[in-house]
Amino acid sequence: MIQKDKDGFLLQLQQHRLIIYKICNAYCKNTSDRDDLAQEITYQLWRSFHHFNGSVKFSTWMYRVALNVAITFYRKTKTSEAIIQLGEPDTEIEDRKEDSAELEKNKNLLQQFINELKELDKALMILYLEEKTYSEISEILGVTETNVATRISRIKDKLKQRFLTVNN
Amino acid sequence: MEDITLKNLWKAQDEKLDRTMKANLFIIESMQKQKAQSKLNGLARLKLFAVILGILWSLFLGILIYGNQLQNIYFTVSTGMIMLITVAAVVAYIRHIALIKELDYSQSITTTQKKLARLQASTFSSRFILLQTPFYTTWFWSTEMIQASIIKFCLIAVPITILFTVVTIWLYKNLTPLKMHKKWVNYLLKNDPEQVPVIQAQKFLNEIEEFKTAS
């Protein structure tokens, strides 16, 4: 049972903070936008928290709010954003020595490919990569499971093709 | 590249993100104290501004009608119609603001985004405001003016009003999302900075529909 007060909210926020970070990273290309979006998501989560009735998992509810806010935010700011060049490392995230160059390259490529997807496809792929079930994804997005499966398969094929093109 | 590799690559960013994202998520205190304004409320603020302007304009017109005391029927009818359409616009905008305030971000993505895009595209549904245009060509008419020069009136004033009426009705009928495929509608809307978000919203609505039906 989740406490419906400020402490309960902060606890949930702390436990699920990576959801916010990943969504911000996928929908924004610079630090200032990411911070703005993170705060906007937190604001909307807090605003909606008293409506949360436990009929779905907290993470499912959080994905809905966070993705809705991110898509709305993205649609408002995307015109001023520059496209990240292919293979360019994400300067906002420090490199770690222990990561191999190959892994680092592929992580950046995946991030870039995800960034380039349309708003709704991006949401779909984030949920897929987060290992949500088709049933959960359909609940969060409001589309049928068949639709989810078909779309994921198409996007995965595209991603694989792009990896092949870049790596060969 | 296998599924498992994609998911592992995605997971590999967790630690980095947690370490490098400095966003302060714990801003509840300041939200409560400063009543932080959501950055996504721009549309509501714009509509609120329009509502205030609309109310002030309606009041001004009301005062003019009251002051005229039915002395000039052309003035009373024209101004009355302009006021009526403005009041209807104010009501429509208040309804939009209520919809924005009631927007629930915890509904499914397609449901919420559809509502939002519809709201942004609502300029199309508010196009009835255009219908007041012909009345701006008749408010200054008077029986004295007509009697003084009936020919001038019939050759200049009446044709102007007819022209405005025809153009307004034509625009009202054609400025709809269904006519977006027509070049001139697209050209007209694309060159109006106020309409750009409306076009984007309309495109996004189409994308949502396509997303929901893809199989």
Side-chain angles (χ1 to χ4, degrees), chain B residues 32-47:
Chain B
Q32 286 172 328
K33 283 176 191 160
Q34 298 166 12
K35 291 188 179 167
Q37 277 294 311
S38 164
K39 285 180 194 293
L40 301 180
N41 275 350
L43 190 64
R45 280 197 288 274
L46 194 73
K47 299 226 179 225

Side-chain angles (χ1 to χ4, degrees), chain A residues 2-6 8-9 12 44-53 58 61:
Chain A
I2 292 172
Q3 265 178 269
K4 295 294 286 284
D5 56 9
K6 196 178 84 185
F9 176 73
Q12 292 300 321
Q44 297 295 349
L45 283 168
W46 173 240
R47 238 181 110 222
S48 314
F49 187 55
H50 62 280
H51 292 309
F52 176 67
N53 55 16
F58 184 82
W61 176 83

Side-chain angles (χ1 to χ4, degrees), chain B residues 43-44 114 144 165 179 184 198 215:
Chain B
L43 190 64
K114 221 171 169 178
E144 294 78 26
T165 308
K179 303 279 171 82
W184 72 268
V198 178
S215 57

Side-chain angles (χ1 to χ4, degrees), chain A residues 104-115:
Chain A
E104 197 58 39
K105 184 186 160 199
N106 283 334
K107 274 196 301 192
N108 285 330
L109 280 176
L110 177 64
Q111 191 60 55
Q112 186 197 327
F113 296 157
I114 299 288
N115 273 333

Side-chain angles (χ1 to χ4, degrees), chain B:
Chain B
M1 179 151 298
E2 297 307 315
D3 286 4
I4 194 82
T5 319
L6 281 177
K7 285 180 179 172
N8 283 340
L9 279 175
W10 182 253
K11 272 185 195 158
Q13 63 170 335
D14 284 13
E15 199 191 332
K16 272 187 179 180
L17 276 174
D18 204 19
R19 191 159 36 87
T20 55
M21 267 209 66
K22 306 286 185 208
N24 179 16
L25 301 179
F26 305 101
I27 48 168
I28 310 302
E29 296 291 351
S30 65
M31 279 178 188
Q32 286 172 328
K33 283 176 191 160
Q34 298 166 12
K35 291 188 179 167
Q37 277 294 311
S38 164
K39 285 180 194 293
L40 301 180
N41 275 350
L43 190 64
R45 280 197 288 274
L46 194 73
K47 299 226 179 225
L48 186 66
F49 180 67
V51 165
I52 294 168
L53 272 184
I55 291 172
L56 290 174
W57 183 234
S58 303
L59 282 173
F60 174 68
L61 294 175
I63 292 167
L64 288 182
I65 293 169
Y66 181 76
N68 188 258
Q69 297 281 328
L70 289 174
Q71 287 169 25
N72 180 348
I73 191 71
Y74 298 104
F75 179 84
T76 308
V77 171
S78 304
T79 316
M81 287 307 291
I82 294 171
M83 192 175 94
L84 203 71
I85 293 168
T86 309
V87 169
V90 167
V91 172
Y93 273 40
I94 289 174
R95 210 178 128 255
H96 290 163
I97 293 170
L99 284 173
I100 294 169
K101 295 290 173 197
E102 281 169 13
L103 203 69
D104 182 2
Y105 280 102
S106 62
Q107 286 186 308
S108 76
I109 313 297
T110 46
T111 309
T112 305
Q113 292 304 319
K114 221 171 169 178
K115 280 185 188 169
L116 259 170
R118 272 197 188 135
L119 267 170
Q120 282 169 327
S122 61
T123 304
F124 282 121
S125 61
S126 308
R127 70 191 192 287
F128 69 85
I129 299 167
L130 280 173
L131 296 175
Q132 63 182 295
T133 316
F135 296 103
Y136 283 97
T137 66
T138 55
W139 64 269
F140 51 87
W141 286 6
S142 67
T143 316
E144 294 78 26
M145 182 182 116
I146 297 167
Q147 283 170 349
S149 178
I150 185 82
I151 298 168
K152 264 189 190 172
F153 177 76
C154 291
L155 290 178
I156 300 172
V158 173
I160 287 175
T161 303
I162 292 172
L163 180 72
F164 269 79
T165 308
V166 170
V167 171
T168 300
I169 293 173
W170 187 71
L171 281 174
Y172 177 78
K173 279 188 171 173
N174 285 285
L175 279 178
T176 74
L178 296 172
K179 303 279 171 82
M180 279 290 285
H181 61 279
K182 287 194 175 178
K183 261 187 183 174
W184 72 268
V185 177
N186 229 317
Y187 179 80
L188 207 70
L189 296 175
K190 263 186 185 165
N191 288 300
D192 182 351
E194 281 181 27
Q195 300 300 332
V196 173
V198 178
I199 298 172
Q200 286 171 347
Q202 197 55 46
K203 276 187 185 163
F204 193 51
L205 268 173
N206 297 339
E207 270 178 43
I208 295 171
E209 282 311 319
E210 192 259 332
F211 186 84
K212 286 189 86 167
T213 53
S215 57

